[in-house]
Amino acid sequence: MTAPRPGTKSPPAGRGPWLLAWRRLARSRTALAFGGLFLGVAVLCLLAPVYAHRVAHTGPNENHITETIKIGGKNEEVTSPTGVPIGPTWHSRFFLGADANGRDVAVRLLYGGRNSLEIGAVATLITMLLAVLIGTFAGYFGGLTDGLLSRLLDVIWAFPPVLLGVALGVALAVGGLDLGVVKLTSGSLLLPAFIIGVVFVPYVARPLRGQVLSLRGREFIDAARVQGRGHLRILAGELLPNLTSTIVVFVPLMLANAILLEAGLSYLGAGVQDPNPSWGTMLAEGIRLTPGAIHLVLAPGLMLVIAVLGVNVFGDGLRDALDPRAVHRAIVMRSPRGTQPPALEGS
Amino acid sequence: MSLLDVADLRVSFATEAGDVRAVDGVSFSVARGEVVALVGESGSGKSTVGLTLMGLTRRLGARITGSAALEGNDLLGASERELQRLRGRLMAMVFQDPMSSLNPVQKVGWQISEQIRAHEPRVSGAQALERAVELMDRAGIPQARSRVRAYPHELSGGMRQRVMLAMALSCEPGLLIADEPTTALDVTTQAQILAQLRELRERTELGMLFITHDLGVVADIADRILVMRAGQLVEQGEADAVLRAPRDPYTQNMLAAYAPRPARSPRTPGGPLLETHELSVAFRGIKALDGVSLTLNEGETLGVVGESGAGKTTLIRCLIRLMDPTGGTVRFRGQDVTHAKRRELRPMRRELQMVFQDASASLNPRRRVEWILASGLRLREVPRAQWRARAADLLERVGLRPEHLERFPHELSGGERQRVGIARALSCDPRALVLDEPVSSLDATVRARVLELLARLQEESGLSYLLVSHDLMIVRGVSDRVAVMRRGRVLETGPTEQLFSAPQHEYTQALLAACPKLPGQVRSAV
Amino acid sequence: MVAFLARRLAGMAAVLLAISLLTFLIFQVIPGGDPAKRMAGRLATHQQVQDVRHAWGFDQPLYDQYLTTMGKVLNGTVVSYSQQINVEDEIVRSLPPTLSLALGAGVIWLLFGVIFGVLSAITSGRLLDRSLTVVALIGVSTPAFFLGALLLYYLGYRLKLLPLGGYVPLTSDPWGWFTHMLMPWLALSVAFIGVYARVLRASVLDTMGEDYVRTARAKGLSERRVLVRHVLRNSLIPIVSLWGLDFAAVVGGGAIVIESVFDLHGVGQYAAESIARLDVPPVLVVTLLVACAVVVLGTVVDILYAALDPRIRLAR
Amino acid sequence: GSSTSSSTNASNTGVNASSPSVTVLMGTAPDSLDPALGMSTQSYEATWLAYTGLVTYAHASGSAGAQLIPGLATALPTISADGKTYTFTLRKGLLYSNGQPVKASDFAYTLQRAIKLGWGNKQFLTGHIAGAEAFDKGKAHSISGITAADSSGVITVKLTAPFGPFLNVLAFPAAGLVPASTPLKPLPSEPPAGVGPYTIAHVVPNQSFEMAGNPHWASEAISGIPSGQAKVQIKIVTNNQSAAEQVLGNTADVFDWNDTVPGTLLAQVHARASARYAQEPTVSTEFFFLNTQAKPFSSQLAREAVNYALDRRALARLDGGQLTPACYLLPIGMPGHPAGPCPYGDPSAAPNTAKAKELITQSGMAGTAVDVWSEPHPPHKEYADYYASVLSAIGLKATVKIVATAQYPGTIGNLKGVNPQTGWIAFSQDFPNPVDFYQLLDAESIAPSENHNLSQVKDPHIQSELAALAPVPSSQLDSVVPKWQALDEYTAQKAYIAVLGYDDVPKFTSEHINFGALVFHPVYGNDWSTLQLK
Ligand SMILES: Nc1ncnc2c1ncn2[C@@H]1O[C@H](COP(=O)(O)OP(=O)(O)OP(=O)(O)O)[C@@H](O)[C@H]1O
Ligand SMILES: Nc1ncnc2c1ncn2[C@@H]1O[C@H](COP(=O)(O)OP(=O)(O)OP(=O)(O)O)[C@@H](O)[C@H]1O
Ligand SMILES: [Mg+2]
Ligand SMILES: [Mg+2]
């Protein structure tokens, strides 16, 4: 018997769940502020060419190794004879200093951000597409379909993500990947995006499968079946709308994780290919040059943390807004370093 | 001298949609050994009163004014520490849902003894456990000694409710607040628990605030009745007086709705529409259905009653082929449903629709009413342009207005939701409806209106109903014939009036006897 | 239980088979990745490369190579291409640093994750909670190797408080072991602390809204007892399972990056170096080991879960 | 080169258990400590002290160290007039580190073992010793070209054709004698017994090993080979930064020369440890190959343009200042290194970009797309980044292609696959004979899938010169140095490659070490047998 429990109050009439969520989100100022922060970073990165041409007067791949610049009247070398690059000048040229190749770090940071964000976005898209397909089919059809798809997820799952990423990265770095429909050439940004996208599929597909599994037993699905509706209609018409909030919640989470994994892979040399900068490759190069050039670590590192933090805080607020009664809070926030508990059967 | 005095109690919650005045100026008292029933429709503020007295609404962010005193202790002004001392010892509460109200990962004995030790620090663990056994035994739990080691999920609903009761009584409180303690139970268990409470009151002078929306139960146990509506007390008085001669129009309405509907005049049935033959279903050895043969005739209503777990839902799921039986067949208009291919099944499905028990679970929470109704129309190949008009028509037939088309299920009341469920079934233009407890989640007034609607639709379009319920009174009011089920078997079948006045099977007799009755109602049989 | 274990074991075998095949195939398709070329030396002739290929069986059909390699993996005789050293011995030697890292970090992140999560939940909505939330999310948003590099720079190079990486066995110098592990532990655990604090906060808040917590209060229990015996007891269950799986991932090389930053010579670093050398056997063995750890700990977690939550029965 | 050998004090009794211990930090583990398998410089650094061959190098810095001296043989061999037969006599009474006596027949076994185990440089054996090829193919049970009489100790080796550097080949540690009882399988963690001042012990692969004293060395005392004074503990510390800090802070003693002191730390090193840090030149060349068979570098003008445009000072900075800018293939320290000025201007001065642009325009190659190949190991990737920016600046369209280190040689050496246009490559000497370097421009090195002549040079002049110069034995190299110089100048003029410069490496120790006494050997780097504690 389900008499309404105290605490569930009926919201104002005529308002869909989305509108309500939006209202809640709009009221969560921290979430919006950090979402804005991320957007700000993204816009800044998109404006990279403007900064490069108008302010820094150099491109992301232009080397200035043996040049000197004037700072406060003094001539300074961009890189020292032993290869130590100049630190932040806080002037229009080499605002954040130079890297070993005498390239303007600020310019590269913005171009690198474009690449990092692009990879993050594409990887998230790939993850979500595959995960929704696999998760819903496995959960809805059950049986053999579920068995096969679940084993597939298990395999990706048990494969240590970083090892899988690096191995695939190395394997595909020269020849690229021919998927029949699309051909990813080596050096293409889509390649790391594809790898990262695949690695994360189980993290999303498993909870989705679990949710579909429990939705499948709900009476409104029975109702649709009683009406004689086909499976695909039921999937698209009845199930999908109920998964959207989960999907939406996962998007920022995966975006954040994809950007982080890109950095990790680039650090291990299997991410973005030269000379395309990305925050990860810049960090990796910077770490090699510490301690003399800590700015090479701090600049991309902090930028990365700020962008990912923006996404994460926003995602956190989004989660609360979409489901204040916290069904999704149980969806564990994931880092690429770990794994997520499998949705426990029988709970 | 009274045990509990409440004066001008007001509780409001701040929510996103503004303040909700859950309790709006309530004054009453409870004397020692007195049972005061608090009745009212869902959402009228009954639970809030109970929880506030226990001091449990504070942390929900409620604003509370007025006064409440229990044996001279100020309940509303007390500090959290003082309240801890009072809770469990001077006043105790039994909650509505026994499953969720017990800690799932602790043994029930531990949960009872924990309370004892919290109030009587000198009692040892073993002694407390011993007392828990005793309490459970007294609460009527069989084999209490071994059951103290059970986890809540290993007990039946009734037993869990008794554990709650044993826990509440463990420190012999003066006041017991019981929030719908029997709603989750079937009639037989309900009768047992009520008997226990009565006995307890005699023995220990226990004062009780008994929250319920079931007037039958009230008549059974209450000395006085408080009727709540929209946070206010609309009527209070001696139980007999209120039940016999309600003064407030709202109370009158409630009573009228509760009163059993007269049995229907038998009608001439058509030919058989839906038949089952020796239908059996087994889940891992448990026989949920065990050779059920039933017939639903054209234009008639067949009521199926049975206690929880009797196999009613299983039966219905087989009828509409949501589940494949392990044995037996179902025929619809002579066609075999059980072995039909998917393609053959489609036309049958349209003609044989279902109304679900839980109206909110059976409506997709992410879809508007219009979409929900249109999905049935689309299958009938109604042109898209007509969907909206047809959906509005359907709503009108079930007594809703076109503006409801825009709403999401959660924006509808329980009764409205069930109407949408019925409208959805109608959208396929069926010949027969199977209804799984269509009104049991609704409160009495709404329930009556939905049953009326079903009767009207049957008049209008000659539908046949197979209606399943655990509530004898509902079945009685709407059925032409009734079947009684228990443990997967049909015990007896017969025309409604005949079955109620002269039940053949002893289980049917017991079932009828356990039904609480309002004063003045004549028991129809036994 | 036995049936459960048997099913899990069968599932594990299937997963391991698939993973080994996949790893093997990935390395087969690497262009320029022919191990024979590297083994034959820098100015080797075509003939020499062919000789190596033949000597190592690289000219055999793929399935044959796979079966031979797997056979050697199973009986512990597989050697690396680049150094011709027994891979399993090498992994056993690399385990102490990895275990030190995983265990230490695991304890740290569990402890602080729980403390922060509980603090955050009981002050929910207030300043402390909001600051902890932001701190936790900063942790979650920080790549471990970035944090590691910063620690190394500031605590190691600048302040000279801690050694600049490397591993000292616990048995030979406990204090040295501790000081060498401190930074890696920190770098690895911060992100996890963030995750765990968030998960636990959510879990505690959910539990606090449960009816049985209301019951516990109605019994007249003290707030502390309600929190510990009823709220935490229930909300820690998902944390336990989470911990088991994360631990498995870290043991099995999830900490590759940290091991490389701090030069710990653990399993992860071994795997990373082997990938860099395109040395299939070590990568294969490490990958299988990780997969094993993930599957086995996953099973242990499920059993533990069932033990902690009596409602759950072992299924599938 | 700074100091000369201080090593021939025969009074030393060698390293034993009570000797002091010195810690060497090594960034990359030796590929194998079994002499029959090791090919990396880290491996040679250790094995040449434990496995002495019939001949070996003098333990001295600079060009003196390139001199071959008798090792286990009583003297340098007599070489027949046709240059095909080498005759040695084994010293008498030699013992291996495990106490077994050394026999002449062990020499044959040693070479057989290296061939059978697949030593990476075995082509130097199989390609030249008579019968070695047949042995390798399994067509013979022994190498017919080698005869050894255990009684007299006379060993003769017959070559199929005269090969100048053959003695250098025998100086490889792989030819350092091991007992005939040594198992015919890789022994990376329990290296076989050998003859030399040290034996390799306590090997923990990829983590550490020890150079312990050879208990039988004292009795043999081969002149010219120091006995060593200290045990050497080698620890693998991957992080160069950390290793350099430790040596700087005197918590470890020797920074391995194969590693780079991070440029960011050099300032500190110069300030605090200038007396124990030196930049030693190595006999190795870094260059960009220029594929002469494909556009745009099929045009000599385009190749010259590259040589004009490269700012080698910039490249030196990318290498932390540890690269000596240059333009010739044969590096300083290699006989035949040209003395004259570079044809494209002073490599240590600013480049002539204007000229380069002009040449590109003239060549008609402007706008051609060029893939610049390199590997990720620093600073090789940075070289490529810089190089690509230079090529773009002079009118070509350059794209950088970075391939994992392990894949790199296989990838660029595959003509059927990528057929690379240009890319980075470095070559360090196997032995002090210019033939070694000219394998890289030898038309015979062109092969479809194992190409080593990456510029794909097919120059008749080079071929005829090589044919004349290659058979000259290393011991008579002095006589042909002018010819080598002329050849190398010719190569530079043709701009077959664009040389970056010659690699410098750090010689860096703690203050406990007698820095001056430590020999930096031109072939094998830090000579641990000359390590002395202050
Ligand atoms: N924590 C809360 N926050 C906001 N509103 C609440 C809260 N608890 C109860 N309410 C509102 O107060 C009103 C009274 O609720 P209450 O639970 O007391 O009703 P009830 O009479 O017990 O109903 P039922 O019979 O369904 O149990 C309802 O409108 C409910 O939505
Ligand atoms: N999926 C299932 N697996 C195992 N047992 C089941 C399943 N569904 C139902 N049962 C069992 O079958 C029996 C009949 O269940 P059914 O749901 O039909 O009862 P019901 O009469 O509808 O009861 P209620 O009034 O509680 O809804 C019960 O004992 C139940 O435990
Ligand atoms: Mg209530
Ligand atoms: Mg039912």
Side-chain angles (χ1 to χ4, degrees), chain C residues 52 60 71 98 122 149 190 197 228 256 258 279 309:
Chain C
V52 173
Q60 301 294 310
T98 301
I122 59 181
V190 162
V228 175
I256 287 181
I258 286 295
D279 201 339
D309 190 338

Side-chain angles (χ1 to χ4, degrees), chain B residues 190-496:
Chain B
Q190 170 173 316
Q192 282 172 10
I193 293 226
L194 290 180
Q196 253 162 40
L197 287 175
R198 259 194 309 265
E199 183 259 346
L200 206 75
R201 171 179 63 167
E202 308 290 288
R203 200 156 46 80
T204 64
E205 284 234 300
L206 178 70
M208 231 187 287
L209 183 63
F210 197 101
I211 299 171
T212 182
H213 64 253
D214 188 338
L215 289 181
V217 174
V218 173
D220 203 335
I221 192 166
D223 299 318
R224 272 187 320 124
I225 296 182
L226 312 173
V227 183
M228 262 187 101
R229 188 190 181 193
Q232 291 174 327
L233 283 186
V234 289
E235 176 156 11
Q236 56 177 308
E238 293 302 317
D240 263 18
V242 173
L243 290 175
R244 276 175 210 280
R247 273 169 296 137
D248 186 85
Y250 172 70
T251 322
Q252 288 166 358
N253 231 337
M254 201 158 70
L255 270 169
Y258 191 82
R261 305 156 61 83
R264 300 171 54 147
S265 46
R267 289 172 304 165
T268 41
L273 185 65
L274 184 64
E275 298 157 282
T276 69
H277 179 70
E278 289 293 322
L279 206 56
S280 307
V281 171
F283 297 106
R284 296 205 196 96
I286 302 168
K287 283 189 173 161
L289 286 184
D290 190 5
V292 172
S293 302
L294 285 172
T295 308
L296 172 66
N297 293 317
E298 196 107 39
E300 100 177 327
T301 301
L302 174 64
V304 178
V305 281
E307 63 186 356
S308 180
K312 308 181 294 285
T313 301
T314 311
L315 170 65
I316 283 198
R317 292 178 72 82
C318 288
L319 288 181
I320 52 170
R321 188 82 192 277
L322 278 176
M323 178 191 277
D324 288 324
T326 16
T329 50
V330 175
R331 289 183 173 279
F332 181 66
R333 289 185 155 176
Q335 276 175 292
D336 190 342
V337 176
T338 330
H339 302 100
K341 301 236 165 57
R342 254 175 73 184
R343 195 154 299 146
E344 300 162 355
L345 209 55
R346 271 208 186 144
M348 280 193 255
R349 283 222 143 123
R350 261 188 39 206
E351 304 220 300
L352 180 61
Q353 283 291 303
M354 172 164 181
V355 175
F356 293 84
Q357 169 167 6
D358 187 344
S360 50
S362 69
L363 300 179
N364 191 334
R366 294 284 177 179
R367 289 295 191 189
R368 292 176 198 269
V369 170
E370 184 184 353
W371 192 95
I372 292 170
L373 296 180
S375 65
L377 297 172
R378 158 192 292 212
L379 290 168
R380 279 169 59 198
E381 281 151 24
V382 174
R384 184 176 286 261
Q386 293 180 21
W387 285 357
R388 199 179 162 83
R390 296 285 283 271
D393 266 5
L394 283 168
L395 283 188
E396 212 162 308
R397 278 177 77 189
V398 297
L400 295 174
R401 289 180 305 279
E403 72 219 40
H404 288 114
L405 284 177
E406 294 304 320
R407 303 222 185 152
F408 284 90
H410 70 262
E411 294 171 336
L412 302 171
S413 75
E416 286 167 341
R417 258 176 256 170
Q418 197 53 290
R419 282 160 200 255
V420 173
I422 294 169
R424 173 179 53 194
L426 294 179
S427 72
C428 294
D429 198 16
R431 290 309 309 144
L433 291 185
V434 287
L435 306 107
D436 189 4
E437 314 244 13
V439 292
S440 51
S441 63
L442 307 175
D443 60 65
T445 33
V446 186
R447 170 181 299 185
R449 272 184 250 133
V450 171
L451 289 177
E452 254 162 46
L453 166 71
L454 287 174
R456 201 188 72 223
L457 290 170
Q458 193 166 43
E459 295 297 319
E460 283 172 16
S461 42
L463 283 170
S464 311
Y465 294 147
L466 188 139
L467 184 143
V468 147
S469 178
H470 67 266
D471 190 330
L472 289 171
M473 292 308 138
I474 290 171
V475 175
R476 175 175 181 184
V478 296
S479 306
D480 300 308
R481 287 189 305 129
V482 174
V484 180
M485 278 186 75
R486 189 187 196 194
R487 297 194 187 136
R489 290 176 169 279
V490 177
L491 299 182
E492 66 180 305
T493 321
T496 312

Side-chain angles (χ1 to χ4, degrees), chain D residues 100-285:
Chain D
Q100 269 176 267
V102 179
K103 291 184 289 186
S105 55
D106 293 346
F107 172 73
Y109 178 73
T110 300
L111 297 195
Q112 287 170 7
R113 183 169 182 269
I115 290 172
K116 270 281 173 292
L117 291 188
W119 178 48
N121 278 332
K122 71 175 178 183
Q123 80 274 12
F124 288 129
L125 302 172
T126 55
H128 302 286
I129 302 177
E133 182 84 48
F135 172 77
D136 191 15
K137 287 262 136 63
K139 290 180 195 144
H141 291 296
S142 59
I143 305 172
S144 59
I146 301 178
T147 53
D150 281 345
S151 49
S152 62
V154 173
I155 299 167
T156 57
V157 182
K158 284 210 174 63
L159 304 189
T160 50
F163 179 54
F166 185 66
L167 278 186
N168 300 99
V169 172
L170 292 187
F172 271 119
L177 268 63
V178 295
S181 57
T182 309
L184 196 63
K185 63 170 194 196
L187 298 169
S189 33
E190 297 122 1
V195 187
Y198 288 98
T199 66
I200 300 171
H202 307 303
V203 182
V204 184
N206 294 325
Q207 292 183 23
S208 63
F209 62 95
E210 185 183 322
M211 300 296 288
N214 174 357
H216 303 285
W217 179 253
S219 58
E220 353 203 270
I222 296 168
S223 81
I225 303 181
S227 301
Q229 291 190 351
K231 285 185 294 202
V232 186
Q233 309 280 350
I234 293 90
K235 281 209 290 197
I236 312 302
V237 174
T238 322
N239 185 342
N240 289 347
Q241 194 90 48
S242 161
E245 284 263 346
Q246 290 183 46
V247 174
L248 186 62
N250 298 309
T251 51
D253 295 310
V254 182
F255 184 85
D256 192 51
W257 63 278
N258 291 292
D259 304 325
T260 347
V261 177
T264 50
L265 214 73
L266 274 179
Q268 270 196 64
V269 170
H270 284 302
R272 286 168 49 197
S274 60
R276 50 192 173 93
Y277 174 83
Q279 215 160 295
E280 296 283 350
T282 59
V283 187
S284 69
T285 307

Side-chain angles (χ1 to χ4, degrees), chain D residues 448-472:
Chain D
S449 61
E450 281 81 21
N451 183 28
H452 303 305
N453 180 345
L454 292 166
S455 289
Q456 297 182 48
V457 176
K458 301 171 192 162
D459 186 319
H461 176 65
I462 293 184
Q463 294 312 120
S464 66
E465 286 295 298
L466 282 184
L469 295 174
V472 178

Side-chain angles (χ1 to χ4, degrees), chain A residues 140-227:
Chain A
Y140 183 76
F141 290 107
L144 188 65
T145 320
D146 185 26
L148 287 177
L149 291 175
S150 291
R151 287 298 85 72
L152 177 68
L153 294 180
D154 281 351
V155 169
I156 307 180
W157 176 272
F159 217 125
V162 178
L163 279 187
L164 180 59
V166 173
L168 280 177
V170 170
L172 304 178
V174 182
L177 177 66
D178 195 351
L179 285 177
V181 225
V182 268
K183 181 150 170 44
L184 307 177
T185 52
S186 61
S188 156
L189 284 182
L190 289 180
L191 207 57
F194 172 78
I195 294 168
I196 294 167
V198 168
V199 165
F200 278 129
V201 166
Y203 296 78
V204 185
R206 285 188 169 204
L208 277 180
R209 171 183 169 272
Q211 205 183 344
V212 173
L213 221 50
S214 76
L215 281 172
R216 189 177 66 162
R218 290 273 290 278
E219 287 183 345
F220 66 86
I221 301 292
D222 285 343
R225 285 175 60 197
V226 168
Q227 286 187 333

